[in-house]
Each structure stands twice: as C-alpha cells, then as structure tokens.
Amino acid sequence: MAKFPRERVRFGIVGCGVVSHLHAEALKACPMTELVAVADVDRDRAGRFAVEHGVPRVYTDFRELLAERKVDAVCVCTPSGMHGDIVLAAAEARKHVLCEKPLEIRAERMTAMIEACRRAGVKLGAVYQRRALPLVEQVKRAIDRGELGKLVLCDASLKYYRHQSYYDSAGWRGTWAMDGGGALMNQGVHGVDMIQWLAGGVVSVFGKASALARRIEVEDTAVAVVRYRNGALGVIEAATTVYPERNTRFEIHGERGTIVFDDSGLLEWCVQGSEAAPGTVDTPSISGVGSYGHYRFVEDMAQAIVEDRQPLVPGEEARKAVDITLAIYESSQTGREVFL
Ligand SMILES: NC(=O)c1ccc[n+]([C@@H]2O[C@H](COP(=O)([O-])OP(=O)(O)OC[C@H]3O[C@@H](n4cnc5c(N)ncnc54)[C@H](O)[C@@H]3O)[C@@H](O)[C@H]2O)c1
C-alpha cells in the first residue's frame, strides 16, 4: 500500500449507541485521528451524537458514509449481528475497519469479512480493549517468557449482572439473530478472548449454557471445560445472573508459578525462585477519554494504517473468542466435546 498521504486518519462511526461514545472520545483525543462522520438508522440519535461530539457529516444510511471520500476508516458500533454487513460494505468501499467485539456472531461471516478486507487491502481490527491494559501486557510477557513453567490450569470467571431491563432496552439484546448469544457472546467474550490469548489457544471445549433467570432466547449462564493447545486445562464460567456481579477474574497456574488478577488489578503473582511480584504499572488516564483501552485501540488502528502493518487484534485473532463461544454452544446442544 502507498504511503498514507495525511497526518491524521479520518474516521467515521457507524452506530451511535452506548459504546460509540468511547470511540468518539478516543478519536477526538488522539492526535493521529479525526472524527469526520457518523451514521445511525435512528436519525435523532445520530443528530444528537453529532452535536455532542462536533461531527460535521451525519447519515442514516451507513453506505452513504462509506461512499464519502473524506472517510479513511470506520468504527463499527452496531449490534453484533450487523457487523458483517457493514465490514463487507466497508471493504468494498476500500475503508479500513475497527470493529467492536464480537467480530461477528457467525463463523462463515467472519471468514468472508477477513477475506474481503484482505482482498481490498484494508485493515480489519477488533476491539478487545482489556488486552491493552498495562497489567495484562505484563502478565502476557511473563507467560510467554515461560516464567510460570508449563501451564496446567487457566481459568476465567466472568460473572456479570444484567437486569431484565437491560435486555429490554434494545430489541437486539438477548436474541440469537443479532446478539448471537448472551453471557458468553456479549459480555463474556472479552474474558474468553483474554484467557485463550494468555493461555495460547484452545483445542476443545465441553460446555453447558442455559437461560436460567432472564426472559431471553440466549444463555444467561454458562460453564465450559477447556483444553488448551499447550495441554493445559481450564474452566470458563460466564453469567449475567450473578448478584452482586463480581470482578471478572483470571487464574493462570503453571508448574512453577501462579498469577491471579481481576478488574481491580493484580491479586497474586507468585513464581518459584523469584522473590517478589514485579511492580505493576497503573492504567494511564487520558483527558476526556472514558476507556483507556478504546483509546489505545483507536490509536493503534491509525498507526497500523499509516505504517501499513497489522492492528493489535486483527480479524484472524479476533475471531478466536467467537469460534470458542460457538463451540461451547454446540457442545451444550449436542452433549459432546467440540474440537476447534
Ligand atoms: N468493547 C466493549 O466493551 C463494548 C461495550 C458495549 C458494546 N460493545 C459492542 O458494541 C456493539 C454495539 O453495542 P451498544 O451497546 O453500543 O448497542 P446500542 O444498541 O446501544 O447501539 C447500537 C446502535 O446501532 C444503531 N444501528 C443499528 N443498525 C444500524 C445500521 N444498519 N446502521 C447504522 N446504525 C445502526 C442503533 O440505532 C443504535 O444506535 C455490540 O457489538 C456490542 O457487543 C462493546
């Protein structure tokens, strides 16, 4: 790809709901990016969003935003089951894409999206913002350096609380067609991504998933036994039914050490032969930005475009958590271990 011709990468946002504000704040704060257009099928919402964030171009049809010459890249912030349509259209329009998690909710759609972006020569990255936290980066480096020895147990506890009113707040929530799943595919997918990334990939899952307490089509509670590529075992628990909700928590055990952390930070770092846990770095705060992780992912996408390199979590990597989640659903339905 030719050298990027401008100092700032010009972004549009498709979907002006809850998460889009984090993208807008990040795009406005980052010196490498500019927010130049927004689209939402809800005209009033798009208009209010544009006024709040000072965006000059407003559309109700995302295809019009994609046709705009002054847009280089788009943030996809629509319901999960629509990500595919928008990413495929973006690739056709030769726009780079930063897509919200989950990348999509169907395997064949993800394959098509990755292939379309590759063919069009545009970047496809997804937001798994917790990977960018300094503590998490430190844990990943320690595991990859082999400090814990051979990994044996890698567990993720993803216990959220979502009242029925959350599911009733937008028609797509809790549906197979647009949410693609519940506690795992929506909230838990962050943790599924985290544990599979830290542990080095999943080979098979054996799962159970049910709607126990909410009036929704998809699961509000799920458990899976996991075998990782390196031979380690683990358990993933995900729920939107646990009151009060817990911090999401990760426990990584190797034959020479243990690291435990949750949303509040590091809880344990114990490695045989090394005296103390390394000093941890606080998550930086950036003025006007509600999510440091979203800032890092937006900044990284702009850098990836300018430097013509892969973004932090490219499509192939982003699909893994979705493929694992789909395998847990299949296992729950068939009663069998499912191999990836
Ligand atoms: N990374 C995170 O922590 C995080 C947090 C929340 C949501 N998300 C993800 O972001 C996505 C959106 O979630 P949300 O909670 O912001 O949803 P939301 O319902 O609040 O917002 C979605 C918006 O998309 C609009 N929309 C629907 N169809 C559209 C179309 N065809 N073209 C343009 N706009 C359209 C809706 O009108 C709505 O304004 C989901 O995939 C969700 O999983 C990620």
Side-chain angles (χ1 to χ4, degrees), residues 14-20 22-23 39-42 45 59-62 76-83 86 100-102 127-130 166 169-173 178-179 185-187 189-190 291 294:
V14 180
C16 300
V18 174
V19 83
S20 61
L22 301 180
H23 288 255
D40 197 299
V41 281
D42 182 331
R45 187 177 289 181
Y59 305 96
T60 49
D61 183 344
F62 70 85
V76 177
C77 301
T78 55
S80 309
M82 276 173 203
H83 292 179
I86 296 162
E100 262 302 339
K101 65 81 199 163
V127 181
Y128 282 109
Q129 72 267 25
R130 295 177 197 183
Y166 161 81
S169 71
W172 67 279
R173 299 195 196 281
M178 283 295 148
D179 222 347
M185 183 65 92
N186 190 319
Q187 291 73 24
V189 78
H190 283 291
S291 160
H294 277 84

Side-chain angles (χ1 to χ4, degrees), residues 147 266 269-271 273-279:
E147 288 183 25
L266 183 64
W269 183 303
C270 177
V271 177
S274 102
E275 299 214 328

Side-chain angles (χ1 to χ4, degrees), residues 163-231:
H163 189 267
Q164 184 66 37
S165 59
Y166 161 81
Y167 288 106
D168 297 342
S169 71
W172 67 279
R173 299 195 196 281
T175 63
W176 285 116
M178 283 295 148
D179 222 347
L184 271 172
M185 183 65 92
N186 190 319
Q187 291 73 24
V189 78
H190 283 291
V192 175
D193 176 68
M194 177 70 71
I195 200 72
Q196 75 79 25
W197 179 58
L198 291 175
V202 167
V203 174
S204 73
V205 295
F206 187 90
K208 288 277 176 210
S210 305
L212 297 183
R214 300 285 168 267
R215 292 185 306 281
I216 50 176
E217 296 171 5
V218 297
E219 86 291 356
D220 58 24
T221 311
V223 180
V225 172
V226 179
R227 181 176 288 281
Y228 296 97
R229 207 177 289 143
N230 54 29

